[in-house]
Amino acid sequence: MNAQQLSTRLMRVAAHVPVNSVVADIGSDHAYLPCYLVLNGKARRAIAGEVVKGPYESARSQVKQEQLEDRIEVRLASGLDVVYAEDGVTAVTIAGMGGPLIRSILDAGPERLIGVERLILQPNVHAKAIREWAETNSWAISEEEILKENDKIYEILVLEPSKKPVRFSPAEFLMGPELMKQFSEVFQEKWQRECSQWKKIVHAMETTVETPEIIEKKQELLEKIKLVEEVLHGENT
Ligand code: SAM
C-alpha cells in the first residue's frame, strides 16, 4: 500500500469523501489516506492527526515525499484536538480502530464537529458503538458499506448531521440499517460467523459453573443470536 495505491478498505473509505472536501483524518499513520485524497482531487486540503510520535513521524515523511506539505498538515494530538474552527473541516475520516475508540474520539470533541458535513468511519469491530453515538448525537446514517479484504470483514459508516431525531431498532444498532437492507453475501457471512462464534461460547458456558455473571453473559449472547438469526432468516422486517 502507498499513497497512490490504497488497500481496498481505505479506497472504499476514500470513495465516500465528497469532492473538494477539507478533510481531517484522525489516526493517520503514514498519511496514506489524506495523500490519496489530495492527489485524487477529493480533498483540497487535509489534516493528518496522530497521537503517537512514531506514526506521526511516518505521516510527516510521507507527506514530504509526496511534496504535499502545502496542502496537508500533520498534527500531533489526540483525536479531534487536531481540528480548529479556522480549518473549515468539512469531512472527518476515522479508520482502522475499534468502534468504542472511534466513539470516544467523537464524544471527546463535539465542538470540533461544528461545520462538519460528513463523518466517514471504518470501525474494525463493534460498529454498534458508533450507531449508539449517532442516535444520541443526531447524526443520520446516510450510507453503510461492508467489504471483505484478506478474509477480514470491514464496515464503513457514513454519517451526516440530522435535524430530525435518529432512531434505530436493536437489530439496526447491531447490524446496521443500510447493511440490513442491502443484505449482501458479505453481510450474511459476517453474521453467520458471529453467530457460530457466540454459539461456541454459549456451549462452553454450559459446561462451566453458573455464576450470576455467566448467566447474564449467556442470556445476552442468546438474545443476540436470536436477533441475528431473525434477520438472516428474514423474520425481522
Ligand atoms: N487510519 C489508518 C488506517 O485505517 O489504516 C491507521 C489505522 S492504525 C491501526 C490506528 C492509528 O490510530 C494508529 O496510528 C494510532 O496511533 C492512532 N490513534 C489511536 N488513537 C488515537 C487518537 N485518540 N487520536 C489520534 N490517533 C489515534
Side-chain angles (χ1 to χ4, degrees), residues 1 9-10 25-29 49-52 55 77-79 94-97 101 105 122 124:
M1 184 163 67
R9 171 182 64 84
L10 282 181
D25 182 43
I26 308 301
S28 195
D29 71 338
E50 248 300 332
V51 74
V52 177
S78 178
I94 314 179
M97 304 177 202
L101 177 55
I105 289 173
Q122 183 271 300
N124 286 344

Side-chain angles (χ1 to χ4, degrees), residues 34-35 38-39 63-64 66-73:
C35 287
V38 169
L39 290 169
V63 170
K64 190 165 180 217
E66 300 292 337
Q67 300 182 330
L68 291 173
E69 294 110 311
D70 55 335
R71 294 174 69 190
I72 302 177
E73 211 178 310

Side-chain angles (χ1 to χ4, degrees), residues 193-208 213-222 224-225:
R193 279 191 198 179
E194 296 277 0
C195 264
S196 65
Q197 202 56 36
W198 294 336
K199 283 178 185 174
K200 277 186 200 147
I201 299 170
V202 169
H203 184 70
M205 281 172 169
E206 270 153 12
T207 57
T208 55
E213 293 77 30
I214 296 268
I215 293 168
E216 194 186 324
K217 183 73 193 158
K218 191 170 137 192
Q219 190 54 34
E220 189 191 306
L221 286 173
L222 288 170
K224 283 208 288 193
I225 292 167

